[in-house]
Amino acid sequence: MALTTTPLGRKVAFDMTEQTVLSNVPDVNVRAGPTTLYGLDLDNTTTSSSANWIKLFDDTGDGLAAAVVGNTARPDIIIPVVAVGAVGATPILGRLQAMWPEGLPFTNGLCWLASKAAGNDFAAAPDDDFRVQAVTAEAA
Amino acid sequence: MGGVTIPLADQFASRLHEAKTLTATPLNDIFSEFDATVKVKTVDIDATANTGEDVFVKFYDDVAPTVGTTLAHMVLKGKAGVVTPCVLPGGGVTFPTNVAVSIACVQEKGGKEGTTAPSGVVDVKIFAEGTTV
């Protein structure tokens, strides 16, 4: 599991933050403060058996891990990505992009996790590598 | 409150659903003509007239969900007082279990709980593609 943020270029006012192995333990405040989300690239291609859900929180991250364990955390965004070969799988199997052209503000901070179930069920982590690349506004 | 699904072009098997004044009362199986696959590709949450709070549009892979009890398959946030478009290019989001898309809009964040309708008017447009058996 590795979390990194890469500036996309001096003339592009965006950064790209990547988590190569999402788990059901949240990455908290990945931009170290408020940010605006423009896009996600979700890669579930190494998982052959199950869909995974990414869950995004507008949260400073303080206490979020405990709230996840206690199942009191509530995501702002929940997006499913089907497994490779699943019925109705996307043309690029196991890949999904989501874009907010106007930007989606996270006024407290951007946190995320992934699990194998819909809604606020955080109990089971993905079986295999489930990667996210997020394009956000450039750090101030 | 009400919704209408508009055939865009049968050869593309695409539909645009306009949910006028979406509330916590679900609109069920809005793409019912798609019974083999359904893929949501664009969602436009118009909360221009809802300035009091952010809203959360919940999508259920269920023909008749119980809002507040059924786990949402997908949740998208709409910012108060503005239009929040979300594009899901490429494959879109599939609803594989029941091949059904039911929707509701509430004030509470995503997951399961939450039955409080927005304080103002929220209109939602959903573009989807699908196939039939």
Side-chain angles (χ1 to χ4, degrees):
Chain A
M1 144 175 215
L3 180 68
T4 58
T5 295
T6 306
L8 293 180
R10 286 183 177 277
K11 296 186 184 299
V12 181
F14 303 102
D15 290 341
M16 191 272 285
T17 299
E18 177 181 44
Q19 171 57 268
T20 56
V21 186
L22 286 160
S23 79
N24 60 347
V25 176
D27 290 317
V28 298
N29 204 3
V30 299
R31 297 312 319 272
T35 190
T36 300
L37 177 67
Y38 288 91
L40 299 173
D41 182 25
L42 301 162
D43 186 342
N44 195 28
T45 55
T46 61
T47 299
S48 59
S49 59
S50 68
N52 288 314
W53 280 258
I54 188 168
K55 301 171 183 184
L56 309 180
F57 303 82
D58 183 358
D59 196 295
T60 61
D62 295 339
L64 182 60
V68 167
V69 172
N71 196 23
T72 57
R74 294 295 176 262
D76 291 71
I77 301 285
I78 299 174
I79 297 177
V81 184
V82 298
V84 172
V87 174
T90 54
I92 303 173
L93 297 177
R95 293 291 293 273
L96 179 70
Q97 293 78 39
M99 302 171 67
W100 289 267
E102 306 290 337
L104 184 65
F106 283 72
T107 56
N108 298 297
L110 173 60
C111 308
W112 58 42
L113 59 74
S115 67
K116 288 171 59 178
N120 51 281
D121 184 340
F122 310 119
D127 290 331
D128 301 294
D129 294 355
F130 178 36
R131 188 191 68 185
V132 59
Q133 293 176 317
V135 174
T136 60
E138 187 178 36
Chain B
M1 173 181 171
V4 58
T5 298
I6 304 166
L8 293 179
D10 287 340
Q11 61 269 38
F12 294 117
S14 53
R15 299 289 185 273
L16 175 67
H17 185 90
E18 292 184 281
K20 295 287 190 183
T21 314
L22 185 61
T23 70
T25 301
L27 295 177
N28 290 338
D29 202 5
I30 59 175
F31 299 111
S32 59
E33 63 271 47
F34 297 147
D35 54 7
T37 63
V38 59
K39 300 176 181 180
V40 170
K41 296 203 160 190
T42 303
V43 178
D44 207 58
I45 304 170
D46 185 350
T48 307
N50 187 83
T51 57
E53 71 286 325
D54 295 339
V55 296
F56 300 87
V57 178
K58 303 194 175 183
F59 296 75
Y60 302 91
D61 185 359
D62 194 314
V63 294
T66 301
V67 176
T69 302
T70 305
L71 288 176
H73 184 61
M74 178 169 73
V75 177
L76 296 176
K77 182 178 184 178
K79 294 294 292 182
V82 299
V83 179
T84 304
C86 178
V87 183
L88 303 155
V93 168
T94 63
F95 289 72
T97 303
N98 295 300
V99 195
V101 181
S102 299
I103 56 173
C105 186
V106 297
Q107 295 185 23
E108 293 85 359
K109 290 188 176 185
K112 184 172 63 176
E113 300 92 341
T115 58
T116 310
S119 60
V121 172
V122 177
D123 297 331
V124 179
K125 294 178 183 175
I126 303 168
F127 175 78
E129 292 181 358
T131 56
T132 57
V133 173

